Amino acid sequence: MRWLAKALALLALLVAFHAFGPAFLQGASPPRASPSVIDARISPRAMAHIIERHGPASEARGAGKFAAGTTEPQIRAMIAEAVREGRPSANTNGRPGTLYDYGFPTDIGTSIDGRPTGRLRVVVGPDGGVVTAFPR
């Protein structure tokens, strides 16, 4: 029976690592999510843009990038937390919408100049939909 308990513990560890990636091994808490609040506001087009320009595998120049191994569900959870807990301000250069800036306790990616950062900016349009989100 002891081997069964060990096998179940190992399985739980593997599932947790798969769900939360390297942050799990570093002892960091996974980003808190509020999917019912924010997921509906991230259109497939907006998420495609975020992944294409700011995802871990993106080769786009001049853009903050999420850390290697960051998954789409983790990005969604980070966006939800930033909108829920972040500091809102008016969008810049006369553009409509709201900016939410939020600092996580651990690094989430790299800034536009390649430095590690725990800060996330989320741009929300006047209709309440997420336009983009990126480490900064």
Side-chain angles (χ1 to χ4, degrees):
M1 282 313 243
R2 219 178 244 187
W3 67 268
L4 181 59
K6 288 181 180 180
L8 289 174
L10 180 59
L11 180 62
L13 180 64
L14 289 172
V15 168
F17 181 75
H18 178 71
F20 303 117
F24 177 76
L25 288 181
Q26 296 171 357
S29 299
R32 294 185 315 257
S34 181
S36 62
V37 173
I38 196 69
D39 275 353
R41 294 185 187 161
I42 305 173
S43 70
R45 182 177 180 203
M47 185 51 72
H49 161 77
I50 292 166
I51 297 297
E52 182 179 314
R53 182 147 176 86
H54 306 288
S58 172
E59 294 182 11
R61 296 180 187 257
K65 305 285 191 295
F66 287 98
T70 306
T71 64
E72 183 177 321
Q74 289 172 319
I75 292 171
R76 287 179 178 279
M78 285 188 272
I79 291 170
E81 184 169 341
V83 170
R84 187 175 59 248
E85 304 290 336
R87 179 179 49 86
S89 61
N91 202 346
T92 58
N93 297 323
R95 292 176 287 210
T98 305
L99 304 176
Y100 291 87
D101 288 301
Y102 183 70
F104 290 89
T106 59
D107 290 341
I108 61 164
T110 56
S111 63
I112 192 170
D113 58 2
R115 290 180 298 160
T117 185
R119 299 205 51 79
L120 179 67
R121 172 165 280 179
V122 180
V123 180
V124 176
D127 65 352
V130 170
V131 176
T132 191
F134 52 89
R136 66 180 308 250

